[in-house]
Amino acid sequence: MNPLTVVPVSLMLILLGSLTFKRINTPVLGHQHALQGKARSIALAGIFLTLAYLLLLPPVYMGVELLMPLTNGTDLISKYFALVAVAFLGGHLSVAYGSPLARRWTVGAPGAAMLGIVATALLGTLLATDAPNPSPQLLDYASQPSVRLNTWLVLAYVAYIVFPLIRPACEDSRKNPLRVGRLASGLIAAGFALSLMRAFTYPVELGATGDVTYLFMIVSYVSTAFVVIGLALFAYARKNRTPQTELRSALSID
């Protein structure tokens, strides 16, 4: 799998874990499900991420390209869907950890401004790319500086979203009264930290050759695994009827 493919796949896996996190935490009433109430944001994130991934499948990509006024506009739309989904996910997790600061920087005014800046920059880098033929994720033109910047912008936005969530997760990894809660938050914080590292080491990744390039792929996979396992541990604790008061803010979303 190409390193660029790791981005949508990783985000989908994180989303699935957080959706379980929310659904398990929802009060058990017959009429409630993942599309109701405050869980609607995480459900929308799931929809956007799914669309972003589907658009990158070659048959779908080529079909949608026929409707696009701009060559490889499908890749741009896919990335836009991914950005919006990550914003929803960041807002959801900031509420889960009870962090108004993280919520402001992910889905508040600064978050909206950053989303607009990155979206505009993605359009600019696509226009600056010499890409006469459709290419999912612009893989055929990966050596062009504009495409490299385009890819880094997505990684950087993910890093921007997870950065304010690292501290709340670290604090919960020390203060949560349950051992499983501390472990879960520690894994989530570590996963987010790895996402930051992937964004900041991207220039090194561009200069890597041979098997070294796969190390960066492994970083993304490990990051995803840590976050999903951490969320799954919270879900496990809730499934075993651990009182919500004991789980504290890490499972208090509503």
Side-chain angles (χ1 to χ4, degrees), residues 114-153:
M114 180 59 67
L115 179 61
I117 292 171
V118 173
T120 302
L122 286 174
L123 174 60
T125 53
L126 178 60
L127 292 174
T129 300
D130 182 15
N133 299 312
S135 175
Q137 296 181 297
L138 304 176
L139 293 180
D140 293 341
Y141 312 102
S143 61
Q144 296 187 34
S146 57
V147 175
R148 293 179 173 181
L149 178 58
N150 184 282
T151 302
W152 179 79
L153 285 168

Side-chain angles (χ1 to χ4, degrees), residues 2 12 23 25 55 64 78 80 105 107 112 124 138 152 169 179 239 246 254:
N2 189 281
M12 286 186 69
R23 188 170 178 81
N25 184 48
L55 285 175
V64 176
S78 173
Y80 282 171
W105 285 96
V107 294
L138 304 176
W152 179 79
R179 180 180 300 178
K239 182 179 179 180
E246 290 184 48
D254 295 324

Side-chain angles (χ1 to χ4, degrees), residues 68-80:
M68 287 289 145
L70 175 66
T71 303
N72 287 304
T74 305
D75 181 80
L76 181 66
I77 299 301
S78 173
K79 286 185 171 71
Y80 282 171

Side-chain angles (χ1 to χ4, degrees), residues 97 165-175 182 185-186 189-190:
Y97 276 115
L165 292 165
I166 293 178
R167 181 176 179 179
C170 286
E171 289 179 349
D172 195 70
S173 71
R174 297 192 304 268
K175 298 178 181 179
R182 294 192 297 272
S185 288

Side-chain angles (χ1 to χ4, degrees), residues 37-55:
K38 295 181 181 179
R40 190 172 301 162
S41 64
I42 202 66
L44 288 173
I47 293 172
F48 279 117
L49 277 181
T50 301
L51 289 174
Y53 181 69
L54 288 176
L55 285 175

